[in-house]
């Protein structure tokens, strides 16, 4: 692992938890830490010559990004990507989110459409900066704003119950190019919404979800230890 001192010399504003987050994230993406592998907090703290508190903070950030999970009495381990589970979740999400986008059209007035465009432009900036962490959250906010306008609260809850905890943000860390593709797909979805084309909007959102699913299946095959 990189020396904590070296990292701080490179960037005086970097916190200890930032360093843990950065180092472990890269190890997960590179496959040095394999799916399902336990992460020894004490060992990491000793190697980086820091206390366990920033290690826990760094791991918590990785948990929110879908790269790490915690288990009672076991601690932290690298998230496991099951291709079968991914297919199931995303097949369901594609249908639900396509429906939500179609139903939202009637309630997305020009001002709200402009807000969607502004959100997507912010995502474009994050993609250009290769900031997958901010992009992941902005992407979720974009879809949340769109689907809440369907005014189907049960459908909205179903979508985001499936969204939480199922690796959505992690895709942008493993495949940064997906950020640019997602922004372009959002452009097409917004264009279909402006045209009040419900069928095309639903089709585009479904395709958008299924492209992500295929990338996750690739990760599952590439990162098995």
């Amino acid at each position: 692992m990189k020396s904590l001192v070296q990292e701080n010399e490179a960037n005086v504003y970097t916190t200890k938890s930032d360093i843990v987050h950065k180092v472990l994230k890269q190890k997960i993406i590179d496959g040095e830490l394999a799916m399902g592998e336990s992460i020894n907090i004490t060992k990491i703290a000793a190697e980086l010559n820091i206390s366990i508190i920033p290690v826990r903070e760094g791991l918590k950030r990785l948990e929110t990004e879908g790269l790490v999970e915690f288990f009672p009495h076991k601690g932290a381990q690298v998230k496991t990507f099951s291709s079968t589970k991914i297919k199931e979740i995303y097949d369901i999400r594609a249908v639900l989110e396509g429906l939500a986008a179609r139903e939202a059209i009637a309630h997305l007035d020009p001002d709200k459409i402009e807000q969607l465009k502004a959100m997507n432009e912010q995502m474009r900036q994050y993609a250009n900066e290769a900031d997958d962490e901010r992009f992941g959250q902005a992407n979720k906010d974009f879809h949340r704003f769109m689907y809440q306008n369907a005014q189907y609260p049960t459908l909205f809850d179903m979508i985001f119950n499936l969204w939480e905890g199922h690796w959505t943000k992690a895709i942008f860390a493993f495949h940064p190019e997906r950020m640019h593709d997602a922004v372009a797909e959002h452009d097409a979805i917004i264009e279909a919404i402006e045209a009040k084309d419900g069928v095309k909007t639903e089709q585009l959102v479904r395709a958008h979800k299924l492209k992500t699913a295929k990338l996750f299946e690739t990760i599952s095959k590439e990162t098995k230890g």
Side-chain angles (χ1 to χ4, degrees):
M1 289 188 180
K2 292 182 179 180
S3 162
L4 181 59
V5 174
Q6 289 175 332
E7 288 285 355
N8 275 329
E9 286 176 349
N11 181 1
V12 295
Y13 299 105
T14 299
T15 67
K16 294 177 182 179
S17 63
D18 286 339
I19 295 166
V20 173
H21 171 263
K22 179 179 179 181
V23 172
L24 292 184
K25 183 174 185 175
Q26 196 59 53
K27 286 181 175 293
I28 292 170
I29 293 169
D30 292 342
E32 189 174 338
L33 287 172
M35 286 194 303
E37 184 172 342
S38 295
I39 300 173
N40 189 315
I41 293 176
T42 303
K43 182 180 178 182
I44 294 167
E47 290 177 345
L48 290 176
N49 194 29
I50 57 177
S51 72
I52 65 172
I53 293 175
V55 176
R56 290 186 183 278
E57 291 172 349
L59 287 170
K60 281 294 182 182
R61 280 180 61 188
L62 291 170
E63 182 184 30
T64 66
E65 293 177 55
L67 294 169
V68 166
E69 53 193 339
F70 286 84
F71 293 97
H73 313 300
K74 292 183 179 179
Q77 69 178 44
V78 180
K79 191 100 171 186
T80 298
F81 298 91
S82 162
S83 57
T84 301
K85 189 68 173 178
I86 288 165
K87 186 178 187 308
E88 177 188 5
I89 293 295
Y90 272 88
D91 281 352
I92 295 169
R93 282 185 57 184
V95 173
L96 296 180
E97 294 185 42
L99 172 61
R102 187 188 73 199
E103 293 299 321
I105 290 176
H107 306 285
L108 286 167
D109 60 28
D111 287 343
K112 289 179 179 178
I113 291 173
E114 286 304 311
Q115 189 169 342
L116 281 174
K117 289 180 179 179
M119 295 172 82
N120 202 38
E121 283 306 310
Q122 180 64 74
M123 292 173 66
R124 198 185 312 275
Q125 181 177 333
Y126 290 147
N128 290 337
E129 295 169 355
D131 190 339
D132 62 274
E133 190 173 357
R134 289 187 179 180
F135 187 97
Q137 184 58 53
N139 179 61
K140 185 175 180 180
D141 292 341
F142 174 90
H143 286 274
R144 187 188 294 277
F145 179 77
M146 180 164 50
Y147 302 152
Q148 71 185 15
N149 281 281
Q151 299 187 7
Y152 279 16
T154 301
L155 175 60
F156 183 86
D157 289 344
M158 290 171 68
I159 290 170
F160 285 95
N161 284 339
L162 287 170
W163 192 303
E164 296 294 345
H166 286 104
W167 329 291
T168 302
K169 293 181 184 178
I171 190 66
F172 306 120
F174 281 98
H175 285 275
E177 75 281 359
R178 179 62 188 148
M179 290 188 280
H180 295 283
D181 292 343
V183 168
E185 289 160 21
H186 290 170
D187 285 335
I189 290 166
I190 293 169
E191 184 177 333
I193 289 172
E194 279 193 292
K196 303 296 183 185
D197 190 334
V199 173
K200 186 174 183 180
T201 298
E202 184 170 10
Q203 289 174 341
L204 288 171
V205 171
R206 285 194 182 195
H208 180 59
K209 296 290 111 177
L210 295 176
K211 285 179 182 177
T212 300
K214 287 186 180 298
L215 284 177
F216 269 123
E217 290 181 39
T218 301
I219 294 170
S220 177
K221 294 173 184 176
E222 290 176 346
T223 58
K224 286 182 179 177

